[in-house]
Amino acid sequence: MASTMALLVALVAMAGVLVSMPACAMVRHDYAAALSKSLLYFEAQRSGRLPPTQRVHWRGNSALNDGADHGVDLTGGYYDAGDNVKFGFPMAYTVTMLSWGVVEHGARMAAAGELRHALEAVRWGADYLVKAHAAAETLYVQVGDGNSDHMCWERPEDMDTPRKAYMVDASHPGSDVAAVMFSARAPGGDRQYASRLLTHAKQLFEFAKNHRGLYQNSVPSAGNFYHSSSDEDELLWAAVWLYIATGDEEYKAYIAGAGNLGGSGQPLGWDNKHVGAQALVAKARYIINH
């Protein structure tokens, strides 16, 4: 799913440019259609009770008891790649990138006729992340077991593999996954929903900042598939988004004191957000100075 987001971000930019180009310039490649199919992919990955607007009709309701082992509702969200596990770490990054794409290129998506679908994809993921943050210092980071899931190739509608839910809390920290969960603001002008997400984001930032620790040390099952190398980039990434959303000096001070804005030189991805933080800080500085 994370690699699909990299393709999607590129397609968003290209589709916006091509929509305004003469028809004769679009002979060989229809990037607007490619954007449409990329967004359709997210509907194919949906978990839970599907809405009436579902366009991928060969998919049905699935995993309707997720979270029951902990007495919480963890239905919804997205399955990961070709399996039926819900990994919170890459899912949160994916929803953040999709949201960022809408914020930056919403007008281009609208011109391509895909803005509504993009907003629905963001909302589907964000609704699940809200459920996963069950309490101020309790965050469910995975549903399902990757090892048993990979041994059984089946449709999510028919799966009979374990659906155990895994969480991090103050005693079993996961500051990397906690920081990334609500990094992006809610696009689309829904202020009430955006305020709700912002409340979760602030709580999770404090949780992550005050209880440091990589999540795979608390949930070894997750580390076998999405091993986190550091929590510094996630905390910085979250602080930048929170500063953009609120303007609070607290987050600005955290960014200034982070000391590692440069990162490791790795490309932007689910395990390294330094480049994303750099881009956001650079843009914020440009806006402030102009």
Side-chain angles (χ1 to χ4, degrees):
M1 183 174 287
S3 59
T4 300
M5 270 315 307
L7 172 62
L8 176 57
V9 171
L11 288 173
V12 168
M14 288 186 286
V17 173
L18 290 171
V19 163
S20 61
M21 291 175 64
C24 61
M26 299 178 62
V27 174
R28 297 186 62 186
H29 303 290
D30 187 347
Y31 289 104
L35 172 62
S36 176
K37 289 178 171 59
S38 295
L39 287 168
L40 196 63
Y41 166 83
F42 286 90
E43 294 191 27
Q45 293 298 106
R46 283 174 174 171
S47 176
R49 189 173 300 279
L50 303 183
T53 56
Q54 175 78 12
R55 295 179 294 162
V56 183
H57 300 299
W58 47 265
R59 283 297 320 281
N61 299 333
S62 62
L64 299 181
N65 293 316
D66 279 2
D69 57 329
H70 287 258
V72 295
D73 178 9
L74 295 177
T75 58
Y78 291 109
Y79 294 118
D80 181 75
D83 55 39
N84 299 328
V85 183
K86 294 191 290 198
F87 291 105
F89 194 40
M91 189 196 305
Y93 167 77
T94 298
V95 175
T96 300
M97 291 299 292
L98 181 56
S99 179
W100 190 6
V102 174
V103 170
E104 294 282 345
H105 303 291
R108 294 175 175 179
M109 287 184 172
E114 293 298 331
L115 180 58
R116 179 172 64 86
H117 297 141
L119 290 172
E120 288 173 351
V122 172
R123 184 64 179 255
W124 189 268
D127 282 350
Y128 172 78
L129 299 181
V130 168
K131 293 179 180 180
H133 186 210
E137 294 188 345
T138 300
L139 177 66
Y140 288 90
V141 300
Q142 180 178 324
V143 180
D145 174 70
N147 291 313
S148 61
D149 182 90
H150 285 193
M151 294 176 64
C152 187
W153 188 265
E154 59 187 351
R155 302 186 327 137
E157 293 84 355
D158 304 324
M159 65 181 166
D160 53 5
T161 51
R163 300 299 294 173
K164 181 179 179 180
Y166 300 83
M167 69 179 185
V168 296
D169 56 23
S171 301
H172 307 87
S175 48
D176 41 9
V177 67
V180 77
M181 272 290 180
F182 286 95
S183 293
R185 54 183 170 170
D190 189 337
R191 293 187 177 183
Q192 183 176 359
Y193 189 65
S195 177
R196 184 184 180 193
L197 294 185
L198 187 59
T199 297
H200 284 279
K202 289 179 177 179
Q203 289 180 352
L204 281 168
F205 182 76
E206 291 302 312
F207 171 40
K209 187 176 64 171
N210 296 331
H211 302 284
R212 300 288 294 271
L214 300 184
Y215 85 121
Q216 65 255 13
N217 294 329
S218 299
V219 185
S221 173
N224 293 332
F225 297 89
Y226 288 98
H227 187 276
S228 175
S229 57
S230 170
D231 66 351
E232 292 180 357
D233 55 321
E234 280 80 24
L235 282 162
L236 180 61
W237 174 249
V240 173
W241 277 114
L242 281 165
Y243 178 65
I244 291 172
T246 67
D248 289 354
E249 290 297 316
E250 170 193 355
Y251 304 116
K252 182 179 180 180
Y254 187 91
I255 298 165
N260 191 26
L261 185 59
S264 60
Q266 297 297 314
L268 179 63
W270 60 265
D271 187 38
N272 193 307
K273 288 92 175 171
H274 277 114
V275 174
Q278 291 166 358
L280 290 169
V281 169
K283 184 173 184 179
R285 286 175 177 171
Y286 178 84
I287 293 172
I288 291 170
N289 294 332
H290 292 77

